[in-house]
Amino acid sequence: MQILVCSGTGCNASSSRTIVERLREALRAAGLERDVEAIATGCFGFCEKGPVVKIIPDNTFYVQVAPEDAAEIVAEHIVGSRRVERLLYRDPKDGRRVSDSKHMDFYKKQLRVALRNCGFIDPENIDEYIARDGYAALARCLTERTPDDVIGEIERSGLRGRGGGGFPTGLKWKLTSRSRAGRKYVVCNADEGDPGAFMDRSIMEGDPHSIIEAMEICGYGIGADVGLVYIRAEYPLAVRRLRTAIAQAEACGLLGERVFGTEFSFRIEIRYGAGAFVCGEETALIRSMEGRRGEPTMKPPFPAEAGYLECPTNVNNVETLASVPVIITRGAEWFASIGTERSKGTKVFALAGKINNVGLIEVPMGTTLREVIYEIGGGIKNGKRFKAVQTGGPSGGCLTEKHLDTPIDFDNLVAAGSMMGSGGMIVMDEDDCMVAVAKFYLDFIVEESCGKCTPCRVGNKRLSEILEKITAGKASMDDLEQLRILSGVIKDTALCGLGQTSPNPVISTLEHFYDEYVAHVADKCCPAKRCKPLLTYYINPEICVGCTVCSRNCPADAVVGERKKPHVINPALCVRCGTCIEKCRFKAIGVK
């Protein structure tokens, strides 16, 4: 029997490591340490209800577990064979307790391919990876197939890059293999700079050996003997587990010289990034690894011809690589049978925002946004109305209710005015201001721009300034037209893909929420009541009892009035901090 405890970064922050220790202490006290294992695993995905604990083999699923619950789980479930009912997930639709994750809406429509081992194995134990067919795909490639056979398998699978571009993976491998050079490189892009995105981090934390195996398979296919993992230094747990996995693979003869006794040798090194968003673009990433400023370069030449140190280089992101071993093991036809005609397989998303079930999900391509948001995601928090969903991170667009039945794949999202991106998916409700949302993403882009090309360096700064005027109530209708024109110019003229897609949040919100822009400009009001300069705080004299709590807590002395008499707010002094609303027990203060 095993007790699996989610130990990804999120659950670690909620004391999951302490839970593992407490479980082991309780098992020792009960004399069961030889019969039952408490294992720290990777991410289960159900972040909204973490820390999560699963009992194998009965698959009991406990949520929001605390360290003090460990002794009870051992005493009741392990010793007494009785489930701890209060720790079971409660279905919000009918209030019933659900003991098995297979019967939870969050998991029902998921298909875990890239995430197949996350939450099931100890990522720091190579034996557990091997027990789940780990390194079997590499062995098959080295002993049974030629490099061309391996590349052909990936081509037939239809796997496309999961980092945002969607370029056919097999074709990228083929182009690199055809380049003639004394040395070639395999690069794993683990930079992951999108706000709210944690797909690649979770895979590296929960299944690092799959990345090592995939890089070796790629190296064999294209003729490379060195792999480089470019990972942001802000991922300490992923870095530690990746280093542990590399050392274990080398110790077992699965990485290094003459792997599986063949002529193939391969080594992997780690390169650290400083968290620059632009270094998600492959040429900027390569320059950063070379110790130079992380800036995109003109193409051609492409990295497949002249990449790292001017050598042919193949760059794939973490999620793309995570699918490679299972494609080799189960066959290209199996993978190609999942998804849509032009987008095969599954996609991992970081589902966040105003959604009941925040977490990491993996669904077949072609699953609709409605299924993701209302079935897997459990709908909008607090019964609010759905307003928009941002897909593709800062470079994606905001889709509305009319797009909810759009099948999620590379082509459909682009046609709808957004993009797949690396997999961030942020849900917004009726309380979100879409002008402020566009400004948030533009401010991020401005901060992260490498500054190499004028359209991105200057153009996005001007976009941000116009949005600042709009949210401050200082813009005119001419500014809206300038916003539209400038967005189109940047999209058409920026150097790299990140710059070319940077205006997408502005373009999509202008198209779908133009009335909100007009309200900010013409009526000088924010319909969602989010833009502070456009808000006016007031006190309802029919409700106010003159308790003076608001005036005593106002940091700007904007609330005036006598005790036991209705107070008023001086709009000239009010800084719109919301302290008065927070402190008022009578709900006498409103915003208009």
Side-chain angles (χ1 to χ4, degrees), residues 163 187-194 200 229-234 271-297 315-317 444-445 447-451 496 498-499:
V187 172
C188 171
N189 179 357
D191 187 58
E192 194 169 48
D194 292 9
D200 292 349
V229 179
Y230 183 82
I231 183 170
R232 52 181 45 218
E234 298 96 325
R271 297 284 190 272
Y272 294 111
F277 177 66
V278 73
C279 287
E281 197 277 339
E282 59 183 10
T283 60
L285 179 155
I286 289 170
R287 285 176 62 90
S288 177
M289 287 199 305
E290 293 171 339
R292 296 189 285 172
R293 184 184 178 94
E295 295 177 332
T297 60
V315 183
N316 291 125
N317 90 315
F444 176 85
I445 291 292
E447 182 71 23
E448 293 291 334
S449 172
C450 75
C496 75
L498 297 181

Side-chain angles (χ1 to χ4, degrees), residues 471-472 526 529-537 575-578:
T471 55
C526 175
K529 295 181 173 59
R530 290 291 177 183
C531 299
K532 285 186 177 182
L534 300 179
L535 304 182
T536 301
Y537 282 67
V575 295
R576 304 168 185 86
C577 64

Side-chain angles (χ1 to χ4, degrees), residues 466 469 475-485 521:
I466 295 173
K469 287 176 63 178
S476 66
M477 295 301 292
D478 287 340
D479 288 311
L480 293 188
E481 185 60 23
Q482 286 297 315
L483 201 65
R484 191 188 306 276
I485 293 171
V521 173

Side-chain angles (χ1 to χ4, degrees), residues 242-297:
L242 193 58
R243 285 195 175 280
T244 299
I246 290 172
Q248 291 176 343
E250 289 174 340
C252 293
L254 299 171
L255 178 66
E257 299 297 322
R258 297 181 58 82
V259 180
F260 284 110
T262 67
E263 295 300 315
F264 176 71
S265 298
F266 197 83
R267 59 184 172 87
I268 293 178
E269 300 174 4
I270 294 178
R271 297 284 190 272
Y272 294 111
F277 177 66
V278 73
C279 287
E281 197 277 339
E282 59 183 10
T283 60
L285 179 155
I286 289 170
R287 285 176 62 90
S288 177
M289 287 199 305
E290 293 171 339
R292 296 189 285 172
R293 184 184 178 94
E295 295 177 332
T297 60

Side-chain angles (χ1 to χ4, degrees), residues 138-382:
L138 177 61
R140 185 173 299 176
C141 290
L142 298 184
T143 60
E144 300 176 7
R145 301 185 181 183
T146 67
D148 287 343
D149 291 338
V150 172
I151 293 175
E153 191 81 20
I154 301 301
E155 277 194 294
R156 290 194 302 277
S157 73
L159 177 65
R160 294 172 65 175
R162 300 307 198 235
F167 192 82
T169 304
L171 177 57
K172 181 180 279 192
W173 288 20
K174 178 184 286 186
L175 293 173
T176 313
S177 72
R178 288 176 176 174
S179 297
R180 299 297 171 218
R183 166 146 286 176
K184 298 180 183 179
Y185 291 93
V186 174
V187 172
C188 171
N189 179 357
D191 187 58
E192 194 169 48
D194 292 9
F198 52 99
M199 301 77 59
D200 292 349
R201 186 195 74 200
S202 296
I203 293 172
M204 289 184 291
E205 290 176 354
D207 192 17
H209 284 284
S210 67
I211 306 306
I212 294 172
E213 183 176 13
M215 292 178 71
E216 291 190 80
I217 292 171
C218 178
Y220 176 69
I222 69 173
D225 60 1
V226 179
L228 304 171
V229 179
Y230 183 82
I231 183 170
R232 52 181 45 218
E234 298 96 325
Y235 283 179
L237 182 59
V239 170
R240 179 170 65 81
R241 289 182 174 170
L242 193 58
R243 285 195 175 280
T244 299
I246 290 172
Q248 291 176 343
E250 289 174 340
C252 293
L254 299 171
L255 178 66
E257 299 297 322
R258 297 181 58 82
V259 180
F260 284 110
T262 67
E263 295 300 315
F264 176 71
S265 298
F266 197 83
R267 59 184 172 87
I268 293 178
E269 300 174 4
I270 294 178
R271 297 284 190 272
Y272 294 111
F277 177 66
V278 73
C279 287
E281 197 277 339
E282 59 183 10
T283 60
L285 179 155
I286 289 170
R287 285 176 62 90
S288 177
M289 287 199 305
E290 293 171 339
R292 296 189 285 172
R293 184 184 178 94
E295 295 177 332
T297 60
M298 293 292 291
K299 303 173 188 175
F302 293 90
E305 305 167 273
Y308 182 67
L309 302 179
E310 300 301 320
C311 297
T313 303
N314 183 88
V315 183
N316 291 125
N317 90 315
V318 170
E319 186 187 340
T320 309
L321 291 170
S323 298
V324 167
V326 72
I327 289 173
I328 299 297
T329 302
R330 302 194 64 173
E333 291 71 23
W334 167 81
F335 189 83
S337 69
I338 304 166
T340 62
E341 183 178 353
R342 289 173 50 83
S343 300
K344 305 298 185 182
T346 60
K347 181 72 186 79
V348 180
F349 291 98
L351 187 60
K354 307 291 185 65
I355 194 85
N356 281 313
N357 297 336
V358 171
L360 194 71
I361 68 171
E362 185 172 5
V363 295
M365 294 280 195
T367 303
T368 65
L369 287 168
R370 187 183 302 277
E371 290 174 291
V372 169
I373 294 169
Y374 285 97
E375 295 182 39
I376 297 172
I380 311 303
K381 276 190 172 180
N382 303 317

